[in-house]
Amino acid sequence: MDTTSTVERVSATGIISDTIRTNFLNADYGIKSWLLTKDHKRIAILYLISITVFFMIGGAFAAMIRMELITPEADVFTSEAYNKVFTTHGIMMVFFFLIPSIPATLGNFLVPVMVGARDLAFPRINLLSWYIYVIGGLFTLTALVLGGVDTGWTFYTPYSSTYSNGYVMLTGIGIFITGFSSILTGLNFIVTVHKMRAPGLGWFRLPLFVWANYAASLIMVLGTPVVAIGIVMIALERGLGLGIFDPRLGGDPVLFQHIFWFYSHPAVYIMILPGMGVVSEIMACFSRRHIFGYKFIAFSSLGIAIIGFLVWGHHMFVSGQSSYAGIVFSLFTFIVAVPSAIKVFNWTATMHKGRIVYSTPMMYALGFIGLFLVGGLTGLFCASLGVDIHIHDTYFIVAHFHYVMVGGSVMAYLGGIHFWWPKMTGRMYPEGWGRFSALLVFVGFNLTFFPQFIAGYLGMPRRYHVYPPEFQIYNVLSSGGALVLGIGFMIPLIYLFWSLKYGEKAGPNPWRAAGLEWETTSPPPTFNFDYQPVVDHEPYNYSEIDARSSATVSTHSVQEEQHV
Amino acid sequence: MSDAAHNSLVAHQFDDARQQQEAATVGMWTFLITEIMFFGGLILAYMIYRNQFAESFHAASRVLDVWVGCFNTCVLLVSSLTMALGVRAAQMGDRKKLVLFIIATMIFGAAFLGVKAYEYAEKFEHHLVPGPTFHFHGVPGHEHAPNAEIFFSLYFAMTGVHALHMIVGLGLMTWLLRKSIKGTFSKDYYNPVEICGLYWHFVDIVWIFLYPLLYLIDRS
Amino acid sequence: MSDHSEHHIVPLKVYFLVFSALMILLFVTVGVAMVNLGPFNIYVAMSIAIIKAVLVVLYFMHVRYSTRLTMVVAAAGFIWLVFLLGITILDYTSRSWIPGSYQ
Ligand SMILES: [Cu+2]
């Protein structure tokens, strides 16, 4: 096994002299050429910039939460202000960062390239989706500036519909609008994957990243409208005095929870499925092996997308929902863990006897597996009816979903950004810094969230800023970890910027990776390929690639691949 | 790139007109299933409350005028027929008929909204709009409806969202009309007509369900 | 691009037949509503509405003449609606099964 620490790349020089090539970045100049672009790659960059802004806002609010929680007393915020702070953190991170994160940036950039198309099926709708996203974001930011909203990101009725005096309407409108951007992205992906695949690219030759984004798109299209109508109903109730959830008229506030979680549980899979797609790509490339169990991974994505719609009531075990429904929801939640476990198993098997290269993307992918495993397994605790009554609304839940959403999605997102950065920008990032910050994120993350499992299990409730002093030690650890995590997120931001100008030039395929996106130049031309790509081989043919390159760059003996 | 197959009617990302047409159709259908789920939330609320407050729903529904609703359903069904005939005219490249059918569809659509506005105005007069002024009298023999306000909340939410979709539909029709008068559509290019037609029929289907759900609960 | 199945032009007769069926079903549903069938009124009304919707989908919306993909997409919408309605109903109907519980 070759575990040498240097990441090998095929030198860019000698393949093409890429100084004069026109690509999507230098095809046109000026702000107008960006704001009116129909090129999916430019739209991906626009999304990348805007979600980074929202990530930083959400992160700033996370920092405020951790600052407040260092001591058991109320030091920085009043209770009311604290409610607004954690609500804003949740809304920014969930609706404006996590949900669009991988699909709208990496997905937008890569799906058309990976299927060998010139663009998504509906480029104008793609641009529209970005504008909708930004407008929705502006509404929510306006609400924030005016005084914020204090309902929690879940908008539970009747508090949100009747009693809260925060800016529920404005925030709701913002989220409603942004929902449409998500729907349009999903719609575009579905049609593109069905109708725009290059000749020879059958369904089982598609990269798993495409499968994952396709499955996530199904959820976006089928789930998002349900939460949208839920928000409309709250708006009608607050604004026009209609009474749909109002208990005074006989309405049932729990009905809102059903509508809300019908989307918001599958939404977790909108965040995690594309992340799993990213990990599949990275895992195969840096293990230098064909992905183990291709079809299992592909179908488990679809399985998660479908079964994920049947489990939403596990958020409502103590809401007054019928215990019989609770049993069904609990059962389905256990079942939906199976396809996730299949994926983890297959990734592990892919690494087995592979020649693992510990590059930055691979470190993020390995981090993903570890953290997602913890997040997923604690999810089973939460899904057990009896256990959930103990841990419901405690920090155990907070730790659980951060392990899935940050430990899962964000790790995969960062891994993917590093993996495809040379493709997107034509430049390499500094590998040493990359690995250092990946390690920092992993350590910081665990330091932040592992103590929360313990505090939660011992009974510390979520959404309180004044707590019994015996929980202080866990909160201090957690806040310290958050600092490390924050630094871990800042470093890539700095060096990725730096690399745009000073990074080493990347050739078309710096990782010697398989897939259509690596066959075109870096960055790709406006229509992605200078020729009509035709696919005549199976995906993840790493043994072939290595056999071919060992003829020229003989660093490995091919022998190792014989005993699989 | 297969430039040979490209003409001005096929967008650059597509290989040929067929791919473009299929993509547009699937795209519209995908959008329509989001619409199904959108109305699904309202239908869910309706189902739950109708089961819980059966008596109130029965009494409250009697206040609505079956025949006005029936008339409006007819109007909408006719508009669907004219829309379908419009698409057919477009397929055959018959520009004159296309324009006529689009205008007819718009007239029937507007008529539906007019009747709806009349019904809303009536509800305002009779204090049947939820809120502080709400007061339910009912019809003779069916005065007892403690939860009538929920029924009318759902009535306004469901028909309101539907009416909003009709207004969007009329907007689309106006756009189609302008294009078809200009002569944009032909036998080889009538995608937008077909796509807008799908939307129009979908809005019609929503009403096909709303009518029995709201007007026909208990008339025996 | 001369001969594809999507260019299928439906005969006028079919449109008028479907339209007549829709009108007849409309009056049937109004008529049935006037008869007291107890709990079955809603089932009859919904069955008729579903038949009408299917007619519109198949003929006015051309799904009968479309690709299989279109049919799958159209069907998926209705299946997911059943997920939403069915499972939520499960909660509400089973709330009273435990003696002494809410509702
Ligand atoms: Cu969940």
Side-chain angles (χ1 to χ4, degrees):
Chain A
M1 264 230 275
D2 182 357
T3 50
T4 162
S5 57
T6 47
V7 179
E8 297 148 296
R9 301 187 221 107
V10 178
S11 161
T13 50
I15 296 171
I16 43 155
S17 57
D18 45 6
T19 40
I20 40 151
R21 284 199 69 90
T22 45
N23 57 52
F24 82 99
L25 289 170
N26 65 15
D28 203 352
Y29 291 99
I31 189 84
K32 226 176 118 185
S33 76
W34 281 87
L35 292 181
L36 296 178
T37 185
K38 279 179 250 158
D39 183 348
H40 66 102
K41 297 182 290 302
R42 286 192 162 206
I43 296 168
I45 304 280
L46 291 175
Y47 260 117
L48 182 67
I49 296 166
S50 37
I51 72 163
T52 306
V53 171
F54 283 106
F55 178 70
M56 295 206 291
I57 297 172
F61 279 86
M64 292 182 209
I65 295 174
R66 286 319 324 166
M67 196 163 68
E68 169 62 52
L69 289 176
I70 293 175
T71 68
E73 296 89 33
D75 314 287
V76 193
F77 300 114
T78 60
S79 303
E80 211 160 66
Y82 184 74
N83 289 348
K84 291 178 176 172
V85 169
F86 73 70
T87 302
T88 309
H89 166 66
I91 290 173
M92 287 297 158
M93 286 303 198
V94 171
F95 293 111
F96 294 94
F97 172 69
L98 283 167
I99 288 174
S101 62
I102 298 178
T105 56
L106 292 172
N108 231 334
F109 195 100
L110 292 166
V111 167
V113 189
M114 282 179 164
V115 303
R118 285 179 286 278
D119 205 318
L120 284 169
F122 310 114
R124 250 183 300 187
I125 287 181
N126 195 20
L127 180 64
L128 179 68
S129 91
W130 181 71
Y131 276 102
I132 290 176
Y133 169 81
V134 171
I135 292 169
L138 289 179
F139 265 96
T140 311
L141 284 179
T142 312
L144 182 64
V145 171
L146 289 176
V149 61
D150 60 349
T151 58
W153 77 280
T154 48
F155 293 99
Y156 273 11
T157 51
Y159 186 64
S160 62
S161 53
T162 314
Y163 302 106
S164 166
N165 36 28
Y167 287 84
V168 179
M169 275 284 252
L170 212 51
T171 316
I173 293 171
I175 291 170
F176 178 84
I177 295 173
T178 306
F180 278 94
S181 100
S182 179
I183 289 175
L184 294 179
T185 302
L187 187 151
N188 234 330
F189 284 179
I190 290 175
V191 177
T192 304
V193 174
H194 272 288
K195 290 286 164 202
M196 318 270 290
R197 298 192 310 276
L201 190 58
W203 278 88
F204 294 118
R205 283 180 175 177
L206 283 174
L208 290 164
F209 180 75
V210 175
W211 274 95
N213 273 283
Y214 178 81
S217 302
L218 290 180
I219 301 174
M220 294 186 207
V221 163
L222 290 161
T224 316
V226 179
V227 80
I229 191 70
I231 293 172
V232 168
M233 287 197 245
I234 287 185
L236 290 175
E237 196 152 337
R238 268 185 94 86
L240 300 181
L242 265 55
I244 297 171
F245 306 117
D246 190 347
R248 283 174 307 186
L249 307 179
D252 182 8
V254 176
L255 180 60
F256 174 78
Q257 297 186 22
H258 275 296
I259 292 174
F260 179 80
W261 289 114
F262 181 84
Y263 165 73
S264 296
H265 178 79
V268 177
Y269 298 118
I270 299 180
M271 304 168 198
I272 201 77
L273 274 171
M276 290 166 156
V278 169
V279 170
S280 301
E281 300 296 318
I282 295 175
M283 211 43 90
C285 176
F286 294 109
S287 303
R288 309 305 304 167
R289 287 194 53 199
H290 186 278
I291 192 108
F292 187 87
Y294 173 93
K295 282 192 183 176
F296 281 97
I297 298 183
F299 283 121
S300 65
S301 291
L302 291 184
I304 288 173
I306 294 167
I307 304 169
F309 270 103
L310 308 175
V311 305
W312 76 82
H314 62 216
H315 295 267
M316 301 163 58
F317 286 157
V318 298
S319 70
Q321 172 186 248
S322 137
S323 329
Y324 293 99
I327 293 169
V328 174
F329 283 125
S330 176
L331 177 71
F332 275 119
T333 309
F334 278 98
I335 293 174
V336 81
V338 174
S340 305
I342 288 176
K343 281 179 193 279
V344 174
F345 173 80
N346 283 305
W347 292 324
T348 320
T350 304
M351 283 189 286
H352 180 63
K353 289 194 176 163
R355 284 179 289 104
I356 297 170
V357 183
Y358 290 97
S359 62
T360 310
M362 187 62 168
M363 288 180 62
Y364 277 113
L366 291 169
F368 172 97
I369 294 186
L371 300 182
F372 178 72
L373 210 62
V374 177
L377 289 176
T378 51
L380 294 180
F381 300 8
C382 308
S384 316
L385 278 163
V387 179
D388 185 65
I389 289 170
H390 176 61
I391 58 180
H392 185 85
D393 259 351
T394 67
Y395 263 85
F396 192 92
I397 302 290
V398 176
H400 154 69
F401 71 71
H402 278 88
Y403 262 85
V404 175
M405 283 149 73
V406 185
S409 300
V410 179
M411 291 296 266
Y413 172 69
L414 288 173
I417 290 284
H418 284 88
F419 187 53
W420 284 293
W421 190 256
K423 184 52 64 183
M424 293 167 81
T425 64
R427 301 279 184 164
M428 297 305 296
Y429 57 86
E431 186 61 37
W433 280 105
R435 263 181 263 174
F436 172 67
S437 62
L439 206 65
L440 214 54
V441 168
F442 185 79
V443 172
F445 178 86
N446 280 300
L447 193 56
T448 312
F449 292 103
F450 203 83
Q452 295 184 4
F453 277 126
I454 304 168
Y457 192 79
L458 295 176
M460 176 158 169
R462 66 192 280 203
R463 293 179 169 172
Y464 282 73
H465 68 139
V466 178
Y467 55 85
E470 65 258 37
F471 296 129
Q472 188 173 14
I473 175 70
Y474 306 110
N475 280 293
V476 170
L477 282 175
S478 188
S479 296
L483 187 66
V484 179
L485 188 59
I487 295 169
F489 286 146
M490 287 313 282
I491 295 173
L493 201 65
I494 296 165
Y495 67 68
L496 288 177
F497 253 113
W498 174 88
S499 77
L500 288 177
K501 191 151 194 269
Y502 303 104
E504 197 187 322
K505 282 224 164 75
N509 191 356
W511 312 118
R512 292 185 296 122
L516 277 179
E517 81 269 31
W518 301 108
E519 283 173 25
T520 184
T521 48
S522 302
T526 300
F527 289 157
N528 297 339
F529 298 92
D530 295 329
Y531 51 92
Q532 169 67 56
V534 177
V535 181
D536 57 0
H537 57 80
E538 297 308 302
Y540 306 107
N541 53 341
Y542 281 101
S543 47
E544 273 172 53
I545 293 176
D546 285 353
R548 224 181 300 142
S549 61
S550 70
T552 47
V553 199
S554 144
T555 45
H556 301 297
S557 69
V558 198
Q559 217 183 345
E560 279 166 341
E561 272 149 56
Q562 250 75 65
H563 45 248
V564 181
Chain B
M1 260 176 271
S2 47
D3 283 312
H6 271 88
N7 58 51
S8 58
L9 297 177
V10 178
H12 70 85
Q13 71 272 25
F14 295 113
D15 292 330
D16 51 40
R18 182 191 174 136
Q19 190 189 29
Q20 169 165 296
Q21 200 210 353
E22 287 182 0
T25 308
V26 175
M28 192 63 199
W29 268 104
T30 312
F31 178 73
L32 291 184
I33 63 175
T34 73
E35 290 279 24
I36 293 176
M37 298 310 289
F38 190 73
F39 281 98
L42 288 168
I43 292 172
L44 174 69
Y46 173 91
M47 269 173 78
I48 301 293
Y49 291 138
R50 177 171 169 163
N51 272 329
Q52 274 183 12
F53 312 123
E55 192 193 8
S56 295
F57 270 53
H58 283 233
S61 160
R62 280 183 178 262
V63 174
L64 305 179
D65 192 322
V66 188
W67 298 111
V68 173
C70 182
F71 172 75
N72 239 358
T73 316
C74 292
V75 170
L76 214 50
L77 288 176
V78 175
S79 84
S80 243
L81 176 69
T82 54
M83 186 70 238
L85 295 175
V87 175
R88 190 172 181 274
Q91 283 177 321
M92 316 234 298
D94 191 336
R95 189 174 128 201
K96 221 172 120 189
K97 266 196 193 156
L98 171 62
V99 171
L100 278 177
F101 280 126
I102 291 177
I103 292 174
T105 308
M106 289 176 76
I107 290 172
F108 287 115
F112 176 90
L113 283 174
V115 174
K116 205 75 232 158
Y118 158 77
E119 283 188 282
Y120 275 15
E122 216 186 10
K123 305 276 176 313
F124 268 100
E125 261 172 49
H126 292 95
H127 299 289
L128 291 174
V129 179
T133 57
F134 183 85
H135 187 76
F136 183 75
H137 296 288
V139 293
H142 298 272
E143 291 93 356
H144 186 64
N147 300 101
E149 198 167 345
I150 289 219
F151 175 84
F152 282 100
S153 292
L154 283 169
Y155 169 83
F156 278 103
M158 290 165 111
T159 56
V161 172
H162 177 260
L164 214 62
H165 279 79
M166 291 289 298
I167 293 168
V168 172
L170 283 179
L172 289 175
M173 287 302 132
T174 316
W175 174 74
L176 274 190
L177 185 64
R178 252 190 51 204
K179 284 216 148 191
S180 48
I181 288 173
K182 264 198 278 174
T184 313
F185 304 122
S186 65
K187 235 191 219 160
D188 294 327
Y189 179 70
Y190 57 89
N191 249 338
V193 186
E194 202 182 356
I195 299 305
C196 294
L198 288 177
Y199 177 85
W200 190 268
H201 294 306
F202 171 79
V203 178
D204 184 22
I205 289 177
V206 172
W207 184 257
I208 287 178
F209 283 95
L210 290 190
Y211 175 58
L213 286 178
L214 295 170
Y215 290 76
L216 300 179
I217 294 182
D218 176 23
R219 294 290 171 177
S220 54
Chain C
M1 61 156 299
S2 45
D3 52 353
H4 28 112
S5 53
E6 289 75 32
H7 263 189
H8 186 100
I9 294 177
V10 185
L12 274 181
K13 207 177 85 184
V14 174
Y15 284 129
F16 285 108
L17 273 176
V18 170
F19 176 72
S20 325
L22 289 172
M23 292 308 270
I24 291 166
L25 285 168
L26 169 63
F27 287 103
V28 170
T29 192
V30 175
V32 173
M34 308 282 179
V35 184
N36 188 357
L37 298 174
F40 290 102
N41 272 98
I42 177 75
Y43 295 112
V44 175
M46 282 301 102
S47 308
I48 293 176
I50 289 170
I51 296 170
K52 282 162 77 181
V54 168
L55 281 177
V56 174
V57 167
L58 286 183
Y59 293 97
F60 283 1
M61 296 170 93
H62 296 169
V63 165
R64 227 201 111 178
Y65 315 102
S66 297
T67 56
R68 231 188 23 218
L69 175 62
T70 313
M71 295 181 198
V72 171
V73 173
F78 289 98
I79 293 169
W80 254 259
L81 187 61
V82 171
F83 283 174
L84 172 63
L85 302 182
I87 300 180
T88 312
I89 287 290
L90 177 79
D91 169 25
Y92 282 86
T93 48
S94 64
R95 276 187 195 179
S96 57
W97 292 356
I98 298 177
S101 64
Y102 165 68
Q103 288 190 342

